[in-house]
Amino acid sequence: MEKDTVTFAVMLSVIDFFLSMVLISGIGVILWLLPFLNRLGKLDEESMRRGH
Amino acid sequence: MFFDEMLHFFGQMASQTGLAQFWWGNVLMIAVGVSMILLAVIKKYEPLLLVGIGFSCIISNVPGSDLTLPGGLFHYAYEGVQLLILPPLIFFGVGAMTDFGPMIANPKLVILGAAAHLGIFVALIGAKLLGFTIYEAGAIGIIGGADGPMAIFMTMKLAPHLLPQISVAAYSYMALMPLIQPPVMRLLTTKRERQIRMKQMRTVSRVERIAFPIVIGIVVNLLLPPVAPLITMLMLGNLFKEVLVTERLAKAAANEVMNVVIVILTIAIGSTMGADKFLTGSTIEIIGLGLVAFVFGTGSGVIGAKIMNLFLEEKINPLLGSAGIASVPIAARVAHVVALQDDPENFLIYHAMGPNLAGVFGTALSGGIMLALLQ
């Protein structure tokens, strides 16, 4: 398909906007899952700060 | 005889200076450079950027100076941009300064980081309609993401000759966001909507804060290699901050590294603002399209938040949508200030930082997808 046209620009925009939504939703899902890591345990921030 | 020789001698001397090549365009661009410095000094508009860009713009328009030519110092600064080294380093510093807690604490708001980027595509189509090539249009569209390093990165990938116009438009509109956004935000919301208060957010643990940059680094490199350098460095800077055991490195990234890179970057941008390249009709078109992109981006963010409210039991303040534009923390601050005007006890800043940070990812995702589709 010829890229340097207005039609391609519109198609590019629609696909890009849609995929951006999908991918950022994926990041949202990752963020939603992050609290489950807290089940692994807690980090002692004081000892971490003293660690260097 | 003697006077003829003297005249010839001085003529030769003059031809070796820049005076012979001086034209009104240089005078105009020197005035632009001086205006930038004055805006920074008097109005405090983006002083860290405008002073360097303004000075470099002035020097670049003094004919005879070899600073911007290959071998000149400013040229090497530009090489840092051309080789795409400086924008990722800016992201490195930003990562070390940024608390991603508000974004991690409220995952549903990240969608606003994509919703507020409709302006990118409006500007892209507008640029194509005005006769720009698809690559130029893509670079112009990214102005709507309101993310300076990302705009520079995309421009160098797609249309390097437009760097001065696009970077100046992006940074100028970012500085002007407190003037551009509020009328659009008020137009699209009711007073009652602007008064919606947000619930207190949960505390984000250290484990989550450390896991976040590592996981995002893996995902972005896996799915979006075109923009991986930017997000990888953003995440590295953030990891240095969050692990707590590399405090020195985090501080260096946020201060020394960031300051040095800003100096070189501003010199590089200003050095491309020669009158012959900058004083063209396309500059005015790009500046206009940048404004359109910011207005549409703000509007689409607010409308995106209102659409979310149709499905949410606990409504969100639609002003948060406008913060989905990537300019951190200006867009979040604007949402906070506009909300305060209708309810002096409605403090939105922490909540607005979530979509605002998601906007950084939204712009990077849009840019990465665009590069993948165009190249």
Side-chain angles (χ1 to χ4, degrees):
Chain A
M1 185 183 178
E2 176 64 42
K3 281 186 176 176
D4 213 0
T5 61
V6 175
T7 313
F8 182 80
V10 173
M11 274 181 58
L12 173 76
S13 301
V14 172
I15 295 169
D16 196 333
F17 191 58
F18 175 73
L19 283 179
S20 299
M21 283 285 189
V22 171
L23 288 172
I24 208 144
S25 303
I27 291 179
V29 172
I30 292 169
L31 297 182
W32 179 76
L33 290 170
L34 282 181
F36 289 100
L37 290 173
N38 293 324
R39 295 181 181 182
L40 296 173
K42 209 176 161 189
L43 290 169
D44 181 358
E45 295 193 14
E46 275 312 303
S47 72
M48 288 167 78
R49 282 202 172 89
R50 286 195 306 266
H52 68 101
Chain B
M1 182 71 181
F2 172 76
F3 284 111
D4 281 348
E5 273 186 24
M6 285 298 283
L7 213 59
H8 178 70
F9 174 73
F10 282 117
Q12 270 194 328
M13 262 187 72
S15 70
Q16 285 172 24
T17 67
L19 289 170
Q21 292 115 47
F22 212 71
W23 64 296
W24 65 266
N26 295 125
V27 178
L28 194 61
M29 288 310 293
I30 288 172
V32 169
V34 171
S35 307
M36 285 179 165
I37 295 172
L38 290 177
L39 276 176
V41 174
I42 298 168
K43 293 279 184 185
K44 306 278 186 295
Y45 284 162
E46 300 282 349
L48 295 179
L49 299 167
L50 288 189
V51 172
I53 295 176
F55 185 75
S56 176
C57 169
I58 292 168
I59 297 302
S60 303
N61 280 285
V62 178
S65 165
D66 290 340
L67 282 171
T68 58
L69 301 176
L73 191 61
F74 285 12
H75 176 77
Y76 288 113
Y78 178 72
E79 288 280 288
V81 176
Q82 195 174 33
L83 297 170
L84 298 174
I85 295 168
L86 297 180
L89 284 177
I90 290 273
F91 264 53
F92 177 56
V94 170
M97 286 194 275
T98 305
D99 174 9
F100 282 96
M103 185 178 152
I104 300 170
N106 201 348
K108 67 173 177 283
L109 294 185
V110 297
I111 197 83
L112 296 173
H117 287 104
L118 193 69
I120 291 178
F121 308 111
V122 172
L124 188 154
I125 295 168
K128 193 72 207 85
L129 286 169
L130 286 173
F132 287 96
T133 69
I134 191 73
Y135 299 101
E136 291 170 336
I140 293 166
I142 286 293
I143 297 173
D147 185 332
M150 186 66 203
I152 292 169
F153 185 85
M154 288 291 291
T155 305
M156 294 314 293
K157 288 260 186 188
L158 294 174
H161 57 284
L162 294 182
L163 178 70
Q165 290 92 334
I166 289 177
S167 49
V168 167
Y171 282 114
S172 304
Y173 287 132
M174 279 159 64
L176 293 173
M177 276 172 79
L179 299 177
I180 298 169
Q181 284 195 302
V184 183
M185 293 155 78
R186 286 201 195 93
L187 185 72
L188 296 173
T189 53
T190 62
K191 188 173 181 179
R192 181 170 287 201
E193 284 173 325
R194 294 194 294 273
Q195 288 174 326
I196 294 176
R197 290 192 182 185
M198 299 293 292
K199 212 176 77 180
Q200 179 81 23
M201 273 192 267
R202 71 178 178 89
T203 308
V204 177
S205 73
R206 185 60 50 192
V207 175
E208 291 173 74
R209 287 173 181 276
I210 293 173
F212 172 74
I214 299 170
V215 175
I216 296 295
I218 294 170
V219 170
V220 169
N221 275 276
L222 202 61
L223 298 180
L224 274 178
V227 288
L230 292 173
I231 300 297
T232 303
M233 293 308 287
L234 181 75
M235 293 296 98
L236 178 62
N238 190 245
L239 185 63
F240 280 155
K241 173 182 183 289
E242 298 297 356
V243 289
L244 301 181
V245 291
T246 52
E247 201 183 341
R248 269 174 49 188
L249 299 182
K251 278 186 180 164
N255 297 296
E256 290 85 355
V257 174
M258 189 72 160
N259 291 342
V260 170
V261 174
I262 286 173
V263 171
I264 301 174
L265 185 71
T266 55
I267 286 174
I269 293 171
S271 74
T272 61
M273 292 175 69
D276 51 331
K277 293 175 203 152
F278 202 83
L279 295 178
T280 62
S282 63
T283 300
I284 295 167
E285 290 172 341
I286 291 169
I287 303 272
L289 286 164
L291 181 61
V292 169
F294 270 61
V295 169
F296 272 87
T298 304
S300 68
V302 173
I303 291 169
K306 291 178 80 155
I307 293 172
M308 279 177 74
N309 275 343
L310 297 176
F311 303 97
L312 293 172
E313 254 181 48
E314 197 178 301
K315 307 296 178 200
I316 58 169
N317 191 315
L319 295 178
L320 296 179
S322 67
I325 285 187
S327 178
V328 180
I330 305 172
R333 208 181 297 139
V334 173
H336 174 71
V337 169
V338 173
L340 280 180
Q341 286 166 355
D342 286 307
D343 177 358
E345 287 179 13
N346 192 6
F347 302 105
L348 274 191
I349 186 75
Y350 195 67
H351 301 278
M353 282 305 291
N356 202 188
L357 293 166
V360 176
F361 289 95
T363 310
L365 292 174
S366 296
I369 295 164
M370 197 185 290
L371 285 175
L373 292 172
L374 281 176
Q375 288 180 334

